[in-house]
Amino acid sequence: MSTNAHTDAHTETTTHGSSRDREIVDARVIVTCPGRNFVTLRIETRSGVVGLGDATLNGRELAVASYLQDHLVPNLIGRDAGRIEDIWQFFYRGAYWRRGPVTMTAIAAVDVALWDILGKMAGLPLYQLLGGRSREGALVYAHANGRDISEASEEVGKYREKGFLAVRAQCGVPGVKKAYGISSGGKPYEPAESELPAETVWSTPKYLEVVPKLFERLRADHGNDVELLHDVHHRLSPIEAARLARDVEPYRLFWLEDATPAENQKSFELIRQHSVTPLAVGEVFNSIWDCKHLIENQLIDYIRTTIVHGGGITHLRRLADFAGLHQVRTGFHGATDLSPVCMGAALHFDTWVPNFGIQEYMFHSEETNEVFPHDYVFRDGRLHVGDTPGHGVTIDEKLAARYPYSPKQLPIARLEDGSMWDW
Ligand code: KDG
Ligand code: MG
């Protein structure tokens, strides 16, 4: 693609440089595995400003790396990095094959890297570019999990001691060998642990028996002074989800997450008819179209779609504004498979977005934090971004190169009779 197709013939001068300074001269995909796989896009302008975007899609990392490398990067070289909206539209509208996790993750990586560059060129932190601070820090929730109810309750206590104001709680299900969200051997929970998907067995009746008991115990042990959350991880049918949402009502959950798969957005109507437990959904969504019905019919309270899987800041800003019109708040996905680059960008967004709800915060490993130095810090139950221009997250490429890609896929779930189920 010829360079002059993307740069202005006339010189467009701004306080911080011309379109020539902003010309994209390099874009590279970095794959690294400091304990888990991450894909990062690094974009550089002619004036030497570097921006980073997370492109990690757990278990499908190389598909996004190839989408970027083979299809987006060749279209980036020579373009004006300041044309963030036009580049987004070029890759979304211009692609013909729209949406889907691979495409939208790749577009997100480009978008976030460009916002990072804009912040660095302007000398401003990203939240300032978005419209400035709406709050002092982003309320976060941690993950407490235990092999049984007592262990889960102890874990909730540990997080409260660390200053967390909100905790997601999961516990083992008696009779189910490997329930979602439960780690083994005291290690942090990481679902993608083998080259081919691990097969787990699922029992809805056993699960529906234990969860209300878990939350009854947590309220008895910890009182009402802590926000409690729970992730069903798409395992229930709409009517089972309605039953669970009703059964946990006395324990005043902050939210019940992914109670049923949401390909059929109307299925949430059934849950709503039966319960006032707040509902969150959307970590697997990629665009506003995945949740339009859910939002405009006020079938959910929190939208979980986050920057890396939802087309970046440019698209998430639209989604959040649309959600705000319907009193739906943000509750961004923040598992460890989203890199610190995504977390940094998400926290700037959280610092600005008027209809903020909460941010998920699973801690990254030491190795990951060393590969991705960042300026956000945890204090008093909240994550606080720094004032570094851009999103405040960088990469130590030398260190990253010491951790080669290691193929890993997410597990699958089957019912006790062997039928495939939702993991
Ligand atoms: O890659 C899948 C994980 O991000 C997901 O299982 C984590 O459901 C999750 C959550 O709420 O963090
Ligand atoms: Mg989840």
Side-chain angles (χ1 to χ4, degrees), residues 71-142:
H71 306 291
L72 302 197
V73 164
N75 284 289
L76 279 171
I77 306 303
R79 261 173 220 281
D80 177 348
R83 296 193 172 201
I84 301 177
E85 182 68 49
D86 186 62
I87 290 177
W88 194 93
Q89 298 291 341
F90 180 88
F91 286 138
Y92 181 84
R93 301 186 85 140
Y96 189 64
W97 309 110
R98 291 185 190 185
R99 301 162 59 191
V102 174
T103 301
M104 296 304 276
T105 301
I107 294 177
V110 173
D111 187 72
V112 170
L114 296 180
W115 279 96
D116 193 25
I117 288 173
L118 184 67
K120 287 173 179 167
M121 285 191 155
L124 291 170
L126 181 50
Y127 73 80
Q128 204 63 65
L129 301 181
L130 292 170
R133 198 178 269 287
S134 297
R135 58 195 53 80
E136 289 314 312
L139 176 70
V140 292
Y141 70 90

Side-chain angles (χ1 to χ4, degrees), residues 334-384:
T336 39
D337 46 284
L338 288 69
S339 95
V341 174
C342 174
M343 183 56 96
L347 288 170
H348 280 269
F349 197 98
D350 295 339
T351 301
W352 155 73
V353 69
N355 47 323
F356 171 71
I358 201 165
Q359 167 70 54
E360 181 178 19
Y361 179 38
M362 260 176 104
F363 317 124
H364 284 117
S365 67
E366 269 311 301
E367 298 102 296
T368 298
N369 287 332
E370 279 164 17
V371 168
F372 296 99
H374 51 262
D375 70 356
Y376 55 81
V377 289
F378 176 78
R379 196 170 59 245
D380 303 330
R382 296 186 163 80
L383 275 170
H384 300 257

